[in-house]
Amino acid sequence: MLTFRNALPLVALAFSSFGCSEAVPVASEGAYAVSFLQAGAASGNCKVASHNIAFGSVSAVALDALKKDSVDGAKLQCSVTRNGAGFAAAGILEDSLGNHLDFLIPSISAAATEAAPAMGNIGFRSAKTQNSYNAPSAEPCKFWITGKEQIDGGRIWVSFKCETVSDPSHDSSCQIAPGSTLAMQNCDE
């Protein structure tokens, strides 16, 4: 007959086997706030009205609500890895409505400012743009760190702007305004 006293070794054996498995990776989390502008592109032919899109809640001074990968249809993936004295960062944030932001920053350090920013690219799509808008390689987006923002292995929180983002298939060039912000954590290192 199995009693509590002679069952203890079986319970201890069962719990000890949990320590042998690998830890489950923590899901990526992120947020962005984009101010998409119709005005200002060099050719003046932006065919989409100005609008703001937020995924989670983030600004240059507050990181209030991050969305988690695979919760409520969100898709997030990111990496922030050491690159010399700084970091290389890339990520994708997409919600169940099809709003999408992807970014690539080949090299950024904590010293990046609005006056001396890091260069990179943004891809952006919303219900209003319907198509993806990207910065042309000749005019990359600018990324910087202010206030509480930061960058470190596995996480990024930056402000950005793009003087030009284009949808060449529809001959439309627009802007992403200064003060647009993104944050991600639990990224690959």
Side-chain angles (χ1 to χ4, degrees):
M1 171 179 201
L2 188 62
T3 64
F4 179 75
R5 173 174 266 158
N6 60 14
L8 282 176
L10 294 174
V11 172
L13 179 62
F15 281 111
S16 70
S17 69
F18 289 127
C20 295
S21 63
E22 290 186 30
V24 175
V26 179
S28 296
E29 297 177 313
Y32 67 79
V34 170
S35 181
F36 190 88
L37 294 181
Q38 186 175 36
S43 59
N45 64 340
C46 182
K47 297 177 180 173
V48 179
S50 296
H51 61 286
N52 297 320
I53 295 288
F55 176 81
S57 180
V58 63
S59 70
V61 296
L63 185 56
D64 295 325
L66 296 174
K67 299 285 188 174
K68 188 175 279 196
D69 182 43
S70 75
V71 174
D72 297 328
K75 296 176 186 172
L76 292 94
Q77 184 178 359
C78 56
S79 69
V80 182
T81 57
R82 282 250 171 236
N83 182 15
F87 297 88
I92 298 170
L93 303 97
E94 188 167 294
D95 66 19
S96 60
L97 303 174
N99 295 315
H100 172 99
L101 177 80
D102 62 75
F103 65 94
L104 173 62
I105 310 167
S107 181
I108 183 170
S109 75
T113 64
E114 189 170 7
M119 303 299 183
N121 201 346
I122 289 286
F124 176 73
R125 179 184 68 236
S126 71
K128 288 192 177 186
T129 69
Q130 296 183 5
N131 299 300
S132 185
Y133 279 73
N134 295 281
S137 59
E139 197 170 1
C141 297
K142 298 173 182 172
F143 298 84
W144 65 92
I145 296 171
T146 61
K148 296 181 179 182
E149 296 172 332
Q150 57 187 278
I151 184 140
D152 203 353
R155 67 177 187 240
I156 184 170
W157 180 10
V158 294
S159 292
F160 64 94
K161 68 179 178 181
C162 306
E163 297 297 331
T164 303
V165 286
S166 300
D167 171 12
S169 64
H170 293 92
D171 191 30
S172 182
S173 292
C174 309
Q175 281 188 338
I176 293 179
S180 295
T181 312
L182 71 87
M184 295 194 83
Q185 65 185 25
N186 304 329
C187 301
D188 294 339
E189 292 185 55

